[in-house]
Amino acid sequence: MKYETVIGLEIHVQLATQSKLFSGAATRYGAEPNAQACIIDLGMPGVLPVINETAIKMAVKFGLAVNASITSPSVFARKNYFYPDLPKGYQISQLDLPIVANGSIDVQLDDGEIKTIRITRAHLEEDAGKSVHEGYGEHTAIDLNRAGTPLIEIVSEPDIRSAKEAAAYMKKIHSLIRYLEISDGNMQEGSFRCDANVSIREDGSSELGTRAEIKNINSFRFVEKAIDYEVERQIDLLESGKKVTQETRLYDANKNETRSMRSKEEANDYRYFPDPDLLPVMFSDELIKSIEQSMPELPDAKRQRFIDELGLSVYDSDNLTASRELANYFEQALAIATNAKLTANWVMGEFLAALNKEGLDISDTPVSADMLGGLVKRIDDNTISGKIAKQVFDAMWNGEGSADQIIEAQGLHQVTDTGAIEKLVDDVINANPKQVEQYQNSPDDKKGKLIGFFVGQVMKTSQGKANPQQVNKLLKEKLK
Amino acid sequence: MTLDRKQIEDIAMLARLSIKEDDIPVHQTELGEILKMVEQMKSVDTDAIEPLAHPLEIDARLRPDTITEENQREKNQKMAPQTQDGYYLVPKVIE
Amino acid sequence: MYTHTLAELSKLLNDGSISSVELTKLYYERCQTYNSELNCFITLTPESAMESARTADALIAKKQNGPLTGIPFAHKDIFCTQGTKTSCGSKMLDNFLPPYDATVVKKLGDAGMVCIGKTNMDEFAMGSSTENSYYGPTKNPWDVSKVPGGSSGGSSSAVAARLIPAATGTDTGGSIRQPAALCGITGLKPTYGTVSRFGMIAFASSLDQGGPMTQTAEDAAMIMNAIAGFDVNDSTSLERENVDYTTNLNDSIEGVRIGLPKQYFSADVDPKTIEQIKDAIGLYEQAGAKIIDIDLPNTSLSIPAYYVVAPAEASSNLSRFDGVRFGYRCDDPVDLLDLYCRSRSEGFGNEVKRRIMIGAYVLSAGYYDAYYLKAQKIRRMIRDDFQSAFKEVDVIMGPTTPAPAFGLNELLDDPVQMYLADIFTVSVNLAGLPAISIPAGFASNLPVGLQIIGNYFSEPSLLNLAHQFQQTTDWHKKMPEGFRS
């Protein structure tokens, strides 16, 4: 039997606001337990929520970026359940009128195919606190610092058909929220995590199979592995005549398996109803327009501009726009270097290789975009050759200064003085009579290849500083 | 409207209230009578009526994203039933 | 001295006839003397009161006082007072010392008023008799075998017996107006959103509203000047220009159109009560008001709609009382579920548990549309009824309650009968309108309250109509015997 996999993702993105969704407490990560849980976050008797304007605007930005409609009025609702990390006994979330509805995003698959994944909705909600199960004996310890932190939950349609597609979609959303600067997207700290609804069905069937929900996946790698494992598990069940049960499962990265979560799922009835402490949020056209104008260029638009206006290849444009940091780095370097193709080569080549080698993020680079731009500029204006440039790059990486400083200090200027080059060329010709004879006796179509030997020799004696175009030109004239 | 024993138990569970087995009939009577009174609503045709969640139909006012609260943990935890190292403690939760 | 109104006390303090410290001692002594009989107070706060009184006297000496500076009063125990027990009438919060002040508490403190205690109430404001208090029932000073009304029964009883000149109350379905009526005092429920709910422990968020409980309409206006106004901490608080509620007190009431809904004068209402209300309306007519019969056809639906909406919101609002961060925790919980269920079952009283269960039920899967959504639709019908009425009339009048105070324990075992007594008050909350109850005579030797309902933000007119009535009658000056030491 052949099966088709059907996946929908719910991605939770922590918004990069200063304060919480409904209180003025800080959202900073890593504070002492409960030091950032104010009376409102704690659900003290009598307290009331007031909505954070920036969180609303960030959700709208996301909606506009995925071509969704912005719901007005949008309504907050209470989701009622008891859990120690949920102080009020309800989570303020959204049900019927989420801020963002009916969007979509294009994802490029490995084979280059572009696939559109529909986004059902994205709603704002408050995060819960954190439970610590170890180290307190017979107790669980509760830290409510995270309680009330704004999240958007982005719910996709079940349009995803493989673990790889799921990862590609997740990466695309991750890149987008970082472009929009609405989240730091930090997966270790839980700012970006997802739940995957996975089901399988017989190939060709139009009905959905019973799904399992895998909770709290916090890496691109795990989303692939967890789904792959889950699909195998479900196929095994069906093949052996058993049924898939609808349940919540947890992915264990150490064992690379998913397992059923027993406790949380005893027939929940969340009794959603509109939160009477909050009024509906309305969006005027002017407000939406002003948010639209404040939005940065989005990755797809940037990619197209790189192709159309900078003349970069599709491949280069894809790579350079994969993350906002890289695109920014490139554009900043380009502003100095001016040669787009050459800058792109250096950013994706030498620069990324060096980062990878040392396992650094762009933000940690010892060679700033301005520095790299300065280097590319010197290649472009023939001050140094590409080969020397690599040497200069290494020196910059080691903190020896800017490209110009290094070129100056180490005397790496390319020799463009015709007289000096002529002397070098003459020396090489005189020292290699045999090769000269061979060159002169060979047919024209072979000469191009043989001249390489002389160029190499000249470059070697000049320690790479001679301008290769000039060397080439002089050699051709003199060897006629 | 009468609620059966199971319904009373389910509601109590949803609301995290423990009820004594012997008291279930009392709850059945009391809740049943209240629901009977409430069910006068059933006879009213409300198909064309929009629900009213709030007496004043105005929209939300939003607050600027600024940090206005400082750490008040000590004060806030003064009357907490059980704390340790700044955490609130509850009986161990099995996940 | 203790029979003076706020307006009178304000003058006496201002001209130095008495100091705030003397006044505070006097009222505190009265509270101490009579509380054992009436059980109006859950907590008395003599130390902090004396401190506030001394501060007030210093301000008065420097002529930096306002109209309320130095006057003692009490808060309903639903308003959070930093460091002072705020129980909401519940065992659940018997040990609760709020880490903050409610906005209303802050505002009256800023106005220089001297809080001498926290008054008794039905647990979490759920009730119409103040019998549902963990701290025992409050008695009606007119007849201690009767209830004072509820849920703000501690406040109404204390003001009626002149143990304090004024108090705060909250009104979710009549909890200011009904006890005011049953104890013969003045109680104003403002337009929803006028008085901040921040720090007022929530019962039903879309219905709750705080307000003054006083001897006179003029006093209510003075308190309103201090507590009304926009609050950034309450999303449902309204941004409006400041109103001086005393400005219109002496306006002429000639030509005012008064609507009498036939539903408020039906055969189910106590005839003696109706008689008193008709006499009162006769006085308005004499003063030049026009009396018009009107129809509020959905009045009877207000009780069912209210007893869906209010418990639904309450069931959610009261979920935070889980024994984890504050409040009552049961002994030796064996696991988390046990902690939740026993803390809540032991910490809440019967009426609260009943309403939590009703609320959970009407919101639960499969019942939401039939109950909660239906009630919200009826809520609109009720609001629309009022809006059509206000096209023809300026205010609506009728009895605040269908009968005077009932006996202690009389309705305790019959919740539905108790709920039905809220018939004239709950529709006002569902619509979010302002309404005032003022003393309008006696029936069977018990006070009768006249309710005046106005359109949104019509508090100045309501206070004007009430004040004018109090210029020609002395019902509001009557005081029960036995509290005159």
Side-chain angles (χ1 to χ4, degrees), chain A residues 22 34 39-51 78-91 95-96 138-140 142 144 266 268-279, chain C residues 80 93 96 99-100 192 196-202 204-206 232-237 312-313 315-322 324-326 329 336-337 340 344 359-361 363-365 368 372 376:
Chain A
F22 300 113
N34 291 307
I39 52 172
I40 293 165
D41 309 323
L42 295 170
M44 283 279 173
V47 299
L48 296 170
V50 185
I51 306 167
R78 293 185 184 176
K79 179 182 183 179
N80 294 284
Y81 65 96
F82 286 88
Y83 207 70
D85 65 10
L86 189 70
K88 297 186 291 298
Y90 58 85
Q91 178 194 30
L95 182 69
D96 287 335
E138 289 307 297
H139 294 96
T140 291
I142 309 294
L144 297 170
E266 17 117 319
N268 270 322
D269 182 346
Y270 292 124
R271 290 156 288 144
Y272 277 99
F273 73 109
D275 190 330
D277 284 331
L278 295 167
L279 299 164
Chain C
C80 284
L93 291 178
F96 182 59
Y100 75 109
Y192 184 85
S196 169
R197 295 188 296 114
F198 188 75
M200 197 177 103
I201 298 175
S205 311
S206 75
V232 289
N233 293 317
D234 176 357
S235 301
T236 59
S237 152
E313 293 183 10
S315 70
S316 176
N317 282 334
L318 269 59
S319 291
R320 70 192 60 203
F321 302 104
D322 59 4
V324 177
R325 298 164 313 287
F326 45 74
R329 174 184 278 203
L336 184 67
L337 189 63
Y340 283 153
R344 290 168 60 78
Y361 178 72
L363 288 175
S364 65
Y368 181 88
Y372 188 73
Q376 298 284 47

Side-chain angles (χ1 to χ4, degrees), chain A residues 6 178 193 197 207 213 219 230 238 271-272 349 357 392 421 463:
Chain A
V6 178
R178 307 248 313 173
R193 53 191 198 262
N197 287 302
E207 264 168 54
E213 183 179 12
S219 93
E230 181 59 23
L238 294 190
R271 290 156 288 144
Y272 277 99
K357 198 174 143 200
V392 176
I421 294 177
Q463 293 172 306

Side-chain angles (χ1 to χ4, degrees), chain A residues 60 62-71 99-104 119-120 122:
Chain A
V60 170
F62 175 79
L64 295 174
V66 294
N67 295 312
S69 48
I70 304 302
T71 314
I99 288 194
V100 174
N102 301 322
S104 69
I119 291 167
T120 320

